[in-house]
Amino acid sequence: MNSLRLPRRNVVLAAALLAGVAAAPALGQSTFAQQKPITLVVPFAPGGGNDILARALAPRMAQLLGQTIVIENKPGAGGNIGADQVARAAPDGHTLVIASSQVTMNPFLDMKVPFRIEHDFEPVGLIASVPLLLVAHPQQPYKTLPEFLAYTRSNPGKLSYSSPGNGTPQHLAGEVFAKLAKAEMLHVPYRGTGPSISDLVAGQVQISFATYASAAPFVQSGKLRAIGVAGQKRSALMPELLTFGDAGMKNYEASLWYSLLAPAKTPKAVVDKLNTAMVSALQDPAVSRQLAQQGFETQSSTPAALKTFIASELQRWERVIKDHQIKVAP
């Protein structure tokens, strides 16, 4: 499986860009036809990466845009319900969605996807990426990644893993691992990261592939055990934690990326204003510090760069899902 590679953080966004945001009239005054709140849709339940990013960015973006931003959680169908709400919204910049990697996976998973990501949205920009951690209930017998891998080989069918829903990156991380490791595991989908992690803490499932932000508080309190990083690069926040590459799985890579999308046909002037505000918010010291502490690596981009990246991800996941014969439960 090829590594999921994102464009490097755009460190060449000149001071002129920030100055332009400060000097420009509020977005609602200069670009929008109507003055009304912006609805930022999070297509998952509270507590997951999409939700964390939305709540970190919204206050600063609202200041920069001179607009109220209302966050609306709309979970279900692997993020498709919330995304579809935005795809059908008026293309005026007042309805946006925080979309993660799942939008480039779902079309190839035998799921009913009511939109085409490459045609029904205007890309605004990449926001961030985050590695996935393999975490386990502390009563499980394995404490290290090599012990976990040995357990999966000798105990087929005894592991169940939770995810925020069918077709999510966390789900795909488990499916691809199971195929590569020839392991038998039961996938248990939930309606969002919060309930997925809550049932893991309660012992209803044994493991989960989870973002650092959602798992770290429970790892630090001893309610969960961190087993490994689901990829090839160690986490700066948990540098002692082995990666799957360290354990010999050199072809295994799982991480999430997040982006901001608007409905198709949103005017370019509106998209550009939103991108400028988003990039400026990501560069705000308080916002960037908050996100770094929660395991996010900011990945700001232009709308055009995000469009190209989405096209490449669609091609990559179509190949990965087909090669590994991955399907989702109806």
Side-chain angles (χ1 to χ4, degrees), residues 42 74 120 124 138 140-141 170 189 193 217 222 234 247 262 282 308 320:
V42 174
K74 195 80 173 180
D120 293 330
V124 176
Q140 292 302 302
Q170 293 92 326
T193 297
R234 294 204 182 192
L282 287 170
T308 299
V320 168

Side-chain angles (χ1 to χ4, degrees), residues 6-18 126-127 279-280 282-283 288 297-302:
L6 298 176
R8 294 182 179 274
R9 181 174 181 178
N10 188 352
V11 294
V12 194
L13 289 166
L17 175 62
L18 298 178
L126 279 167
I127 300 173
V279 171
S280 299
L282 287 170
Q283 293 183 331
S288 62
E297 179 183 352
T298 56
Q299 300 281 349
S300 57
S301 77
T302 64

Side-chain angles (χ1 to χ4, degrees), residues 18-215:
L18 298 178
V21 173
L27 180 60
Q29 299 168 353
S30 63
T31 310
F32 280 22
Q34 299 176 351
Q35 182 76 6
K36 63 180 181 180
I38 294 172
T39 298
L40 181 55
V41 175
V42 174
F44 294 97
N50 303 61
D51 188 68
I52 291 168
L53 286 170
R55 296 180 191 282
L57 286 176
R60 184 64 182 129
M61 285 187 66
Q63 291 177 344
L64 292 165
L65 296 169
Q67 295 277 109
T68 300
I69 297 180
V70 178
I71 297 171
E72 179 181 344
N73 291 89
K74 195 80 173 180
N80 286 336
I81 292 176
D84 187 50
Q85 174 180 322
V86 177
R88 296 172 181 272
D92 58 8
H94 287 99
T95 311
L96 310 171
V97 63
I98 299 272
S100 59
S101 311
Q102 93 287 330
V103 295
T104 57
M105 301 171 179
N106 288 353
F108 313 111
L109 290 169
D110 296 328
M111 301 178 71
K112 183 179 179 182
V113 181
F115 54 82
R116 294 185 65 186
I117 186 67
E118 66 271 41
H119 294 295
D120 293 330
F121 294 91
E122 292 294 340
V124 176
L126 279 167
I127 300 173
S129 65
V130 65
L132 290 177
L133 305 179
L134 172 64
V135 291
H137 190 275
Q139 292 184 359
Q140 292 302 302
Y142 34 84
K143 296 182 179 180
T144 66
L145 189 53
E147 290 176 356
F148 170 77
L149 294 174
Y151 183 89
T152 62
R153 298 186 188 106
S154 58
N155 293 273
K158 291 187 178 181
L159 281 175
S160 60
Y161 73 99
S162 65
S163 83
N166 284 322
T168 59
Q170 293 92 326
H171 171 210
L172 268 289
E175 290 295 317
V176 174
F177 164 75
K179 296 290 185 180
L180 290 174
K182 296 181 172 58
E184 295 180 27
M185 302 192 303
L186 174 66
H187 173 230
V188 183
Y190 288 82
R191 289 176 62 85
T193 297
S196 170
I197 296 299
S198 293
D199 261 18
L200 176 61
V201 171
Q204 300 299 314
V205 293
Q206 289 79 52
I207 61 170
S208 187
F209 293 86
T211 62
Y212 176 90
S214 63

